[in-house]
Amino acid sequence: GSGFNPNATETELRQLFWNAEADLVFVGHTHAAIATEVRTMTLVNLGSVSNHTSADACSSYVIVEALEDSYALERRFVDYDNQAAIDKVLSCR
């Protein structure tokens, strides 16, 4: 599939997730860090640790804390040495 398009409208997201019976849904594939509300659910795209798409070149991930009757999301951004990753891949040839 095409993944969760970071530019999707609320209508498009409602169509994609119309039958999801969840309060919290994690998605991926597009590598774009997003958290948005659709109906009664929160959609979260975790971002990407090594193949990020953000202009600031930071990696991102999400920590979820399960509380008694809810949850807390914390998005974290960290620097990523792109050149070191490229060098490592090239050294595997």
Side-chain angles (χ1 to χ4, degrees):
S2 60
F4 171 27
N5 180 343
N7 299 313
T9 66
E10 183 174 344
T11 300
E12 292 168 329
L13 294 175
R14 285 177 185 259
Q15 290 172 345
L16 281 171
F17 297 97
W18 69 270
N19 65 345
E21 295 180 18
D23 296 327
L24 183 61
V25 176
F26 292 94
V27 297
H29 186 62
T30 63
H31 300 261
I34 300 167
T36 189
E37 299 290 323
V38 176
R39 294 183 315 178
T40 60
M41 80 179 85
T42 301
L43 296 175
V44 179
N45 188 319
L46 304 175
S48 179
V49 173
S50 65
N51 193 15
H52 47 76
T53 59
S54 61
D56 62 7
C58 284
S59 298
S60 66
Y61 60 96
V62 173
I63 293 179
V64 179
E65 180 182 359
L67 306 172
E68 179 124 355
D69 58 354
S70 63
Y71 56 86
L73 297 174
E74 180 184 349
R75 184 171 309 282
R76 293 195 178 172
F77 295 90
V78 294
D79 288 331
Y80 184 76
D81 189 342
N82 290 300
Q83 192 57 53
I86 291 168
D87 293 344
K88 184 69 171 173
V89 169
L90 291 175
S91 73
C92 294
R93 289 183 174 188

